[in-house]
Amino acid sequence: MKKKETDFSQYKILLVDDEEDIIEFLSYNLKKEGFRVFTAFDGEEAVKKAKKELPHLILMDIMMPKMDGMTAVEEIRKIGALDNTLIVFLTARAEDYSQIAGFEAGADDYVTKPVKPKVLVKRIMALLRRSRKTEVAPVERNDITIDPSGFFVMKGTEKITLPKKEFKLLHLLASKPNKVFRRDEIFHEIWGDDVIVGNRTIDVHIRKIREKLGIENIKTIKGVGYKYEE
């Protein structure tokens, strides 16, 4: 019998959807792989469950009663204890603007329905595996210190916490100043080859980093990629 590469019984997943059959179906497939699964049927319940259980990953629908998924994610991202929680939207809404809004709200990934459960489970596994890999050496650039051990950025005396993907993207670019990273390199390093994301994903994350840090060091190289310029 082939030995599993990772013991997923240590991971807690919160499933959020207002359709009970989807919750049951996904719960069954995730529990079969060893995940500890919690459920919620609307955005308000999702925020409460997230605070209580502190899941490693949240799989979130968008169109739900009481509080929609976008609002729920924005509320969850305000909770410090959930800074490192991965959030994946699973929704029937495939429009570009919906995906952009999802990443701006704080999502790490965006998956459109329908999706085969085996593919979704493998995608979740890939996200969790990559989330365990952290760089150890802080990066200092001018008045900015990027500390991977705590997933935060110091700008002068101000401590700034970024969502995990934004942090990893900033750390990647700043770790090799003036090097131009091609878009496919960035996708490979930050999202991995087995995770599919939209073409605008990097652009959204770069814009958020610039806004939050108030820096102009990250330069766009049209048609190629990005670099951290010193």
Side-chain angles (χ1 to χ4, degrees), residues 32-213:
K32 193 166 62 171
E33 296 297 333
F35 290 104
R36 298 165 61 192
V37 179
F38 303 88
T39 60
F41 294 92
D42 60 67
E44 286 186 1
E45 186 184 6
V47 176
K48 292 177 183 177
K49 281 282 182 73
K51 285 181 180 178
K52 179 182 177 182
E53 303 297 345
L54 301 179
H56 297 87
L57 183 143
I58 300 173
L59 198 60
M60 179 81 71
D61 188 22
I62 291 180
M63 302 301 292
M64 296 183 294
K66 295 185 180 180
M67 181 188 289
D68 64 81
M70 294 285 186
T71 305
V73 169
E74 289 174 350
E75 291 300 311
I76 288 168
R77 284 304 183 209
K78 296 175 184 177
I79 303 170
L82 296 170
D83 282 343
N84 293 327
T85 295
L86 296 169
I87 301 179
V88 179
F89 276 118
L90 177 61
T91 174
R93 300 189 63 170
E95 310 94 345
D96 284 349
Y97 67 83
S98 292
Q99 296 189 39
I100 291 170
F103 287 117
E104 289 183 333
D108 296 283
D109 201 359
Y110 192 105
V111 182
T112 54
K113 301 174 183 177
V115 60
K116 294 181 179 179
K118 286 185 178 180
V119 174
L120 180 61
V121 170
K122 292 297 182 184
R123 192 162 180 163
I124 288 171
M125 289 177 173
L127 283 168
L128 290 170
R129 285 194 192 101
R130 292 189 68 82
S131 73
R132 296 178 63 189
K133 299 176 182 177
T134 59
E135 302 289 342
V136 293
V139 173
E140 295 185 8
R141 296 286 174 254
N142 300 323
D143 65 336
I144 291 177
T145 300
I146 306 162
D147 188 346
S149 63
F151 274 92
F152 64 83
V153 179
M154 292 297 299
K155 184 180 181 184
T157 58
E158 181 186 5
K159 182 177 180 180
I160 302 171
T161 302
L162 299 176
K164 189 167 291 185
K165 288 293 188 293
E166 290 176 18
F167 181 90
K168 288 185 175 181
L169 179 52
L170 173 64
H171 188 273
L172 174 68
L173 297 177
S175 65
K176 296 183 179 178
N178 301 319
K179 168 183 165 59
V180 177
F181 285 87
R182 300 190 313 274
R183 296 178 69 87
D184 59 339
E185 285 183 273
I186 295 173
F187 277 125
H188 172 74
E189 291 294 332
I190 306 301
W191 282 272
D193 296 327
D194 44 4
V195 175
I196 302 172
V197 293
N199 291 329
R200 295 290 304 278
T201 302
I202 296 176
D203 306 326
V204 170
H205 282 67
I206 291 290
R207 178 163 60 82
K208 299 292 282 186
I209 293 169
R210 287 169 173 160
E211 290 174 354
K212 292 174 181 177
L213 297 184

